[in-house]
Amino acid sequence: LTQYKNNKMNITELLNTIVSNRMAEMHICMPAKIVSYDFATRKASVQPALNQKYNDDEVLALPIIHNVPVMQPYSGGASVNFPVKAGDNVLLVFSERSLEEWLKDGKQITPDDARQNNLTDAIAHIGLRPFSEISDAENNDDLLISFNTSKIRLKPSGIIEAEASQI
């Protein structure tokens, strides 16, 4: 506070600075890159792609986050599993409360930890891509499933087309 008195910062400016810096430490969502992925546990290490900037213009690169659950489409006993590779982009969403206990078995819990929107409570959603990467879509009508050089197109008319480099 002495520093702020000497600089003649009023209490409103001080509170605004404190609140702004605290909000800078709250994480909601951001892009990141996969550093490593374990398909059996669905856990990844990810590097956030955005640096953290404070009101005083201090910039910090965020650390690699480990043991991040990676979401793959799953519901009702059905699933689709995509290969996840180092360098793939993901969208990180940060849980409102600690995920640590819930991730053990998925049961209703009351977190023991009071942390909120913390880096350690990230969930990675695969598929986020920057606009600089060209879309795989060939049109805006067909459902296209592609993997390497193979493609399956489901057309609105009910026709299914498949392409493969090897049969």
Side-chain angles (χ1 to χ4, degrees), residues 139-156:
N139 59 55
N140 198 35
D141 295 317
D142 301 344
L143 169 64
L144 176 65
I145 301 169
S146 61
F147 183 60
N148 292 331
T149 59
S150 300
K151 296 181 181 182
I152 299 172
R153 284 180 210 81
L154 290 99
K155 300 196 164 279

Side-chain angles (χ1 to χ4, degrees), residues 31 88-91 126-137 146:
D88 285 353
N89 290 303
V90 294
L91 176 66
I126 58 176
L128 179 66
R129 292 166 58 177
F131 292 139
S132 60
E133 289 185 18
I134 297 171
S135 171
D136 295 334
S146 61

Side-chain angles (χ1 to χ4, degrees), residues 75-94:
S75 185
S79 66
V80 177
N81 289 280
F82 292 86
V84 177
K85 306 290 183 189
D88 285 353
N89 290 303
V90 294
L91 176 66
L92 296 180
V93 175
F94 299 91

Side-chain angles (χ1 to χ4, degrees), residues 93-148:
V93 175
F94 299 91
S95 180
E96 183 176 313
R97 299 278 186 235
S98 169
L99 288 176
E100 198 168 346
E101 290 299 316
W102 183 86
L103 284 169
K104 291 178 183 175
D105 60 21
K107 293 181 181 173
Q108 184 81 27
I109 56 107
T110 301
D112 289 334
D113 194 321
R115 67 182 184 249
Q116 294 179 274
N117 301 93
N118 192 280
L119 282 176
T120 59
D121 295 308
I123 301 166
H125 296 258
I126 58 176
L128 179 66
R129 292 166 58 177
F131 292 139
S132 60
E133 289 185 18
I134 297 171
S135 171
D136 295 334
E138 297 170 346
N139 59 55
N140 198 35
D141 295 317
D142 301 344
L143 169 64
L144 176 65
I145 301 169
S146 61
F147 183 60
N148 292 331

Side-chain angles (χ1 to χ4, degrees), residues 3 6-7 16 28 33 44 59 71 81 106-109 146:
Q3 172 189 352
N6 294 339
N7 292 331
N16 283 338
I28 307 300
K33 284 204 180 284
V59 175
M71 287 190 60
N81 289 280
K107 293 181 181 173
Q108 184 81 27
I109 56 107
S146 61

